[in-house]
Amino acid sequence: MLMRLVTSMVLVGLAKTTSAATYSLTSNLIGQGFLNAFSWQAVADPTNGRVNYVTESTAQADGLVSVSGNQVTLRADSITVLSSSDPGRNSFRLQSNAQYTTHVAVFDIAHMPQGCGTWPAGEVDIVEGVNNQSPNLSSLHTSAIYETGNSGCGVQTNDINSFGLNFNGIGGGWYAIERASTFIRIYFWERGSSSVPDDVQYPGTSVNTDSWGTPAAYFPDTDCDFSTHFGPHNIIINLTFCGDWAGNSAVYSNSGCPSDCVDYVNQNPSAFVDAYFTFNSLNIYQ
């Protein structure tokens, strides 16, 4: 995943070197309104995962999506034993109906998918990781990415609680992305941390990223022409299994995961009971 901003780049740093701005709230997405802002994509997985992305009607019928108050939960199938002829484990891939350029998006996440074989990931990956391996990796992907196994250009978040089991153990937290004409910044704050900015924890009509401190990942346009590599993007929320990264035999075995990735995903549905996202809100500022 998890969460992708679909477009395409080169890297890095952590210093906050470009002045930020104040952004005004344009979308407060919670509950059913959150789901209404996205379309379901029942498409072939671009990362070659052991996954079957389903339609919204199938997800509803199979209990893979639910709304409880403001919260939205998206999960993978955790019941079905798969045969080699099945298309993959049923899961979700949602794409935002709106596209964004300069903006800030703040995701309040209570739970993210965990388990061997899982790959919540994309092109600008706010949240990305595999096989329960913390911390989070925030990545940008350029046009020529396939020779690197779709790995792109990434920065590890300097917080062991930013991904997977540890993230879920503290009740989640907030991820935010700020996209400007000359940089992209990604931020993470743990639930309960004293450093969470007020305008993140208690969303209002605007945010001022000048008060947010040092980002978890900073991508300037130093070595990459943003105007030719990044157009308007959609937000993607998805969960795949195995595939080009999580299913790589070395990556999978080095994660301490059992068996072969595809065999494990096929034969152990109960291992994916906790393979789900729960979102408290998504707030967009422009």
Side-chain angles (χ1 to χ4, degrees):
M1 106 35 208
L2 152 298
M3 289 175 302
R4 307 175 175 182
L5 304 181
V6 178
T7 37
S8 295
M9 169 178 151
V10 175
L11 175 70
V12 201
L14 288 179
K16 194 170 183 184
T17 58
T18 307
S19 61
T22 298
Y23 301 80
S24 298
L25 181 69
T26 55
S27 297
N28 168 234
L29 303 178
I30 57 175
Q32 187 60 47
F34 183 109
L35 290 176
N36 293 345
F38 289 84
S39 297
W40 292 71
Q41 294 190 308
V43 298
D45 181 28
T47 62
N48 303 303
R50 185 67 178 132
V51 68
N52 180 43
Y53 291 131
V54 300
T55 63
E56 182 175 10
S57 59
T58 297
Q60 294 281 1
D62 292 353
L64 305 187
V65 58
S66 61
V67 175
S68 178
N70 290 344
Q71 287 188 326
V72 173
T73 296
L74 299 161
R75 64 174 64 249
D77 169 77
S78 59
I79 298 173
T80 309
V81 175
L82 303 178
S83 71
S84 59
S85 61
D86 288 319
R89 186 155 301 284
N90 283 0
S91 187
F92 55 87
R93 179 181 169 94
L94 276 64
Q95 175 174 291
S96 64
N97 299 323
Q99 292 188 319
Y100 305 96
T101 51
T102 298
H103 77 297
V104 171
V106 180
F107 299 81
D108 183 346
I109 309 171
H111 189 281
M112 68 169 62
Q114 65 185 58
C116 282
T118 59
W119 181 2
E123 278 59 50
V124 178
D125 288 313
I126 303 168
V127 176
E128 182 174 35
V130 298
N131 305 325
N132 280 341
Q133 297 301 292
S134 188
N136 178 61
L137 183 70
S138 297
S139 304
L140 302 185
H141 298 263
T142 61
S143 307
I145 57 177
Y146 297 103
E147 69 275 11
T148 63
N150 229 16
S151 60
C153 178
V155 179
Q156 278 198 336
T157 302
N158 188 27
D159 187 333
I160 197 67
N161 293 327
S162 60
F163 189 79
L165 290 163
N166 291 348
F167 178 91
N168 295 334
I170 62 169
W174 291 266
Y175 271 96
I177 181 169
E178 178 184 11
R179 175 182 170 182
S181 60
T182 58
F183 65 86
I184 291 173
R185 296 184 184 132
I186 295 171
Y187 298 82
F188 171 68
W189 302 275
E190 296 183 12
R191 186 87 56 205
S193 170
S194 60
S195 66
V196 185
D198 285 346
D199 53 4
V200 170
Q201 189 167 5
Y202 308 106
T205 58
S206 65
V207 292
N208 184 348
T209 56
D210 277 330
S211 67
W212 287 6
T214 302
Y218 173 58
F219 303 93
D221 67 348
T222 308
D223 298 310
C224 177
D225 181 5
F226 275 26
S227 64
T228 58
H229 284 76
F230 287 89
H233 66 249
N234 299 84
I235 297 171
I236 300 287
I237 301 171
N238 78 293
L239 171 61
T240 188
F241 300 94
C242 302
D244 297 333
W245 183 16
N248 176 282
S249 57
V251 172
Y252 184 78
S253 61
N254 288 340
S255 301
C257 290
S259 180
D260 165 82
C261 187
V262 170
D263 288 344
Y264 184 76
V265 169
N266 284 351
Q267 298 168 15
N268 297 276
S270 63
F272 304 106
V273 168
D274 292 322
Y276 66 88
F277 273 113
T278 295
F279 293 92
N280 293 330
S281 66
L282 167 56
N283 289 296
I284 308 291
Y285 303 84
Q286 293 176 287

